[in-house]
Amino acid sequence: MGSSTPPVPVLSPPPSRLVIVGGQRLEGEVVIGGSKNAALAILAGALLASEGETTLTNLPRIGDIRTMVEVLGHFGVAARFSQGDTAAHLDATRLTSSEAPADLVARMRASFWALGPILARCGEAKIAQPGGCNIGARPIDLHLKGLQALGAEIETGFGYVRAHAPKEGLKGASVYLDFASVGATMNIMMAASLAHGTTVIENAAQEPDVEDLGNFLNAMGARISGHGTGVLTVQGVDSLHAADYAVISDRMEAGTYGLMAGITGGNVFLKGANAAHLRPVTLKMIEAGMQVEEREDGIRCTGPDGRPIPTRITALPHPGFPTDMQQAFTAYLATADGTSVVTDQVYESRFRYLTELGKMGVVSQVDSRTAVITGAARLTGADVDASDLRAGAALVVAGLAAQGQTRISHVEHLDRGYEALVEKLQKIGAQVWREDEHGRRQTSQRKAA
Ligand code: EPZ
């Protein structure tokens, strides 16, 4: 076992920019890291273990993981990292608080996934309400509806959600989700795992991250079935124990590097990518002119000989096309030989990044949930701003193909979801570096793995 390091408070990195000189064909191999969204949910799930030390491996080396471990520490979880931050060791035997303050939750919506586990373990919870962000209002009504169905008393006010379980504990129930919400499915599944009796969640989210959380909870002694399908059943148990678990690979990171290969006419092997998880995206890649080779140990993505073929994309809950990939895919389609249509049925306003792409020559028209993209033969580099993680990814994809230099500010958004981004890009031939706000080039801290 490598040396272990106690979690240190996540300090916000100094503002920096990503600089890309476009036009290089990307070739070689990228090692895909662990799934951010599965890992964040599984870290919350570790709160449910009342005995033993959980060891999680294949964690992505990104800021959000450190933030979530900091949140767990706040509840009294003894936590430490090892194996170069790709493993975490968590002992939740003694919880010392059932409250998560606003400043922590405001930093990362996934902190709200602690509500279900803390309520189930402590009988009460006081968690700050997550804010909306620039991709939509992102309400939490379905989370609360599910916990109320399990018998919790919920009150909101002053920016907090307060939840109390009946003195006899939570009780299994049938829950129908108006929308197949990932977070609501996760919160309810975790709370139900310690409820008395059986819970059935209908119209449950089917994302691989949800399935991975269910597998982790079962390794802890939970009795969950149907996770990864639309009907998820939980037989409550009295207690859960720690478990050792390896998180699945990140399909969004894999898809993003696949599209980077596509838009540069390159050829990249995504080592560790899960072909089944990414199929809603790879089938669209093939439709749009790319070649995709599925292998046991990963996926090879090869760009089209000519320009991408225009296509239609509709982002839906899994197994539909994932909303977290529509941004990077739209950037790929921006150089297509014709007009594409992208619709996002998951979020009401997730096309703001097209304003920034417009500075690079991307021609688009947005009407609420639908964007019409008129392909351009050439994109040009520009100074652009990453408003969030996936918008930033779209700017990187476009910058890799654009003529000249693209400088992307607020790269800290990208660092929340793409581990060792500069190093991994440099390894496959991209001309990219980080610079500080004064334009001074920064040396790489991390290895590409
Ligand atoms: C998870 O967010 C992911 N985040 C998101 O990834 C992802 O975009 C989203 O699922 C959809 O796949 C994490 O896992 C940490 P939702 P979540 O609940 O759970 C509405 C990224 O970039 N809704 O499935 O918050 C909501 O308004 C992030 O990695 C309600 O109406 O997403 C939205 O329109 C961004 N009421 C839709 O559902 C609720 O109570 C999708 O939300 C909850 C959600």
Side-chain angles (χ1 to χ4, degrees):
M1 180 82 72
S3 65
S4 61
T5 50
V8 291
V10 181
L11 304 174
S12 48
S16 62
R17 281 191 290 256
L18 203 61
V19 184
I20 303 171
V21 177
Q24 319 295 327
R25 283 165 60 93
L26 300 189
E27 296 187 327
E29 176 178 293
V30 173
V31 176
I32 301 302
S35 164
K36 167 177 85 82
N37 292 344
L40 291 172
I42 288 169
L43 282 164
L47 284 163
L48 291 163
S50 50
E51 59 166 300
E53 183 183 66
T54 285
T55 294
L56 300 178
T57 53
N58 198 37
L59 293 175
R61 297 168 290 158
I62 54 176
D64 274 11
I65 296 300
R66 302 194 71 81
T67 300
M68 185 57 114
V69 170
E70 193 184 336
V71 170
L72 299 185
H74 190 86
F75 291 113
V77 172
R80 59 191 170 84
F81 285 101
S82 70
Q83 294 170 42
D85 285 5
T86 63
H89 311 273
L90 310 150
D91 186 335
T93 308
R94 268 171 301 288
L95 296 181
T96 55
S97 166
S98 60
E99 299 194 10
D103 66 318
L104 268 183
V105 178
R107 272 166 40 198
M108 184 181 63
R109 179 178 175 83
S111 323
F112 195 68
W113 290 196
L115 176 61
I118 290 293
L119 175 63
R121 274 290 304 277
C122 308
E124 59 180 7
K126 180 185 170 192
I127 311 281
Q129 284 185 248
C133 55
N134 74 333
I135 60 176
R138 307 191 77 181
I140 53 171
D141 57 307
L142 298 176
H143 296 244
L144 305 186
K145 171 184 171 185
L147 297 178
Q148 280 169 322
L150 298 180
E153 258 181 55
I154 302 272
E155 53 177 288
T156 55
F158 306 100
Y160 277 84
V161 170
R162 289 170 185 78
H164 289 85
K167 59 182 180 317
E168 63 276 14
L170 296 173
K171 196 166 173 311
S174 275
V175 181
Y176 174 79
L177 293 180
D178 310 44
F179 183 88
S181 158
V182 170
T185 303
M186 291 172 160
N187 242 330
I188 299 164
M189 172 167 52
M190 289 189 280
S193 58
L194 290 180
H196 301 287
T198 302
T199 297
V200 178
I201 305 175
E202 292 188 273
N203 195 27
Q206 306 179 49
E207 272 70 4
D209 306 321
V210 173
E211 185 178 7
D212 209 30
L213 174 62
N215 289 335
F216 169 63
L217 296 176
N218 282 342
M220 295 169 79
R223 294 172 58 197
I224 298 169
S225 57
H227 42 304
T229 76
V231 181
L232 194 155
T233 302
V234 185
Q235 313 271 354
V237 294
D238 292 339
S239 67
L240 295 175
H241 54 74
D244 293 351
Y245 195 77
V247 170
I248 54 172
S249 66
D250 194 308
R251 67 194 194 282
M252 307 308 173
E253 185 192 24
T256 305
Y257 281 101
L259 290 165
M260 290 169 177
I263 200 168
T264 59
N267 177 336
V268 173
F269 183 62
L270 311 172
K271 188 167 174 54
N274 180 311
H277 293 169
L278 204 57
R279 201 153 294 137
V281 179
T282 53
L283 290 175
K284 275 293 164 188
M285 286 174 170
I286 294 165
E287 208 177 286
M290 288 177 59
Q291 288 164 44
V292 173
E293 181 201 349
E294 297 185 352
R295 287 176 23 182
E296 271 304 301
D297 58 343
I299 305 170
R300 177 171 296 283
C301 288
T302 308
D305 296 335
R307 292 167 60 181
I309 299 169
T311 187
R312 293 180 63 89
I313 287 178
T314 300
L316 288 163
H318 194 81
F321 186 96
T323 172
D324 292 349
M325 284 301 312
Q326 59 97 332
Q327 306 78 1
F329 214 110
T330 298
Y332 168 75
L333 293 172
T335 59
D337 185 6
T339 299
S340 300
V341 180
V342 180
T343 301
D344 194 321
Q345 294 295 12
V346 176
Y347 290 105
E348 70 270 24
S349 64
R350 205 173 188 185
F351 288 109
R352 292 191 192 162
Y353 63 92
L354 284 169
T355 309
E356 292 303 296
L357 280 179
K359 296 175 185 172
M360 302 174 71
V362 173
V363 179
S364 66
Q365 195 141 19
V366 177
D367 172 12
S368 97
R369 288 179 182 262
T370 296
V372 177
I373 315 294
T374 307
R378 189 187 67 151
L379 300 180
T380 52
D383 285 1
V384 288
D385 184 54
S387 53
D388 66 77
L389 172 63
R390 308 302 176 186
L395 296 173
V396 175
V397 171
L400 288 165
Q403 188 182 349
Q405 192 177 92
T406 298
R407 298 195 308 176
I408 303 172
S409 53
H410 292 111
V411 73
E412 61 276 12
H413 289 303
L414 280 159
D415 293 333
R416 289 187 54 178
Y418 297 97
E419 65 169 26
L421 178 66
V422 170
E423 296 74 17
K424 289 189 178 184
L425 280 171
Q426 287 173 342
K427 189 164 174 274
I428 52 178
Q431 218 181 324
V432 59
W433 64 91
R434 215 182 270 266
E435 65 178 30
D436 65 18
E437 53 194 332
H438 308 298
R440 291 186 297 246
R441 191 178 287 209
Q442 295 170 329
T443 51
S444 298
Q445 288 90 15
R446 286 191 176 284
K447 290 194 309 299

